Amino acid sequence: MKKIILCLFTMVIIAQASAQSLDVKPDPNAPYLKDKNLPTFTLNLIDGREVTNKTIPKFKYTCIIFFSPDCSHCETEAATINKYKDKLTNVLFIWDSYRDMIAIQAFADKFNFVGRPNILIGRDPSYMIPTFFRPKMTPFVALYKNNQLVKVYEKGADIFDLIKIIESK
């Protein structure tokens, strides 16, 4: 398990450093390419609660974001989501990181995520989310409607595309 964690961590760091300008293609063996259902996961939230894919609040859309608290692109993603939050009220955002809870808490505080009913932020201790999506860089964003995959953004979501999808379906 430690080797898997180290491998994932190394993969994300290398991808951030070297692939920002590259055309990032999904891992052809990533389970999400075959299974369009919301993945099975358990998320330990910053407030100490635990949620699963079965116990998350019901929203029309669910947006899973695999991120790193010290990633500048992840910070941009969070700031952009905050800027357009009034257009995203029917979306549950699940922010998952491999980092420690102190770093995740600091990120949540920085972007005023605490107490927002449509944001869950924490850590997936079993690494089910990154195993399911096999992201090559952060932020990795997957949008679901009624628990069915709509779109994946390998290099972070285009907020205008995201809003367009949400408003049109």
Side-chain angles (χ1 to χ4, degrees):
M1 183 63 156
K2 288 183 179 181
K3 287 182 181 180
I4 292 171
I5 294 168
L6 182 59
C7 182
L8 276 171
F9 179 74
T10 303
M11 180 178 72
V12 170
I13 297 302
I14 290 170
Q16 285 177 328
S18 63
Q20 292 296 332
S21 63
L22 299 176
D23 182 27
V24 179
K25 294 187 180 1
D27 178 332
N29 297 313
Y32 82 89
L33 293 171
K34 295 174 186 75
D35 182 356
K36 302 303 181 186
N37 294 302
L38 190 69
T40 300
F41 64 86
T42 299
L43 195 68
N44 294 338
L45 303 177
I46 57 174
D47 65 6
R49 292 181 299 139
E50 180 180 281
V51 295
T52 70
N53 55 299
K54 303 247 188 251
T55 64
I56 58 173
K58 302 294 181 215
F59 280 77
K60 186 174 183 178
Y61 292 93
T62 302
C63 190
I64 297 175
I65 303 172
F66 185 68
F67 78 105
S68 177
D70 59 359
C71 162
S72 64
H73 292 91
C74 299
E75 289 182 346
T76 300
E77 190 84 21
T80 304
I81 287 170
N82 278 344
K83 182 176 180 180
Y84 294 97
K85 68 182 176 185
D86 293 341
K87 293 185 174 282
L88 302 168
T89 57
N90 62 343
V91 181
L92 174 64
F93 289 94
I94 299 172
W95 290 79
D96 172 39
S97 180
Y98 57 90
R99 296 285 305 277
D100 62 84
M101 282 296 200
I102 293 170
I104 296 168
Q105 177 73 54
F107 186 90
D109 291 342
K110 181 175 183 175
F111 293 100
N112 300 311
F113 285 175
V114 178
R116 296 206 4 221
N118 69 328
I119 294 183
L120 301 175
I121 184 168
R123 192 165 195 274
D124 169 11
S126 299
Y127 294 92
M128 295 299 293
I129 290 172
T131 300
F132 187 76
F133 292 111
R134 299 187 184 175
K136 294 182 179 176
M137 58 192 321
T138 58
F140 176 93
V141 180
L143 179 66
Y144 286 80
K145 178 182 180 185
N146 299 322
N147 295 331
Q148 293 295 303
L149 185 64
V150 174
K151 187 162 186 176
V152 165
Y153 302 88
E154 293 279 344
K155 297 180 355 180
D158 173 325
I159 194 69
F160 300 111
D161 184 58
L162 189 69
I163 291 168
K164 181 179 173 186
I165 291 170
I166 291 165
E167 289 179 342
S168 69
K169 294 189 178 198

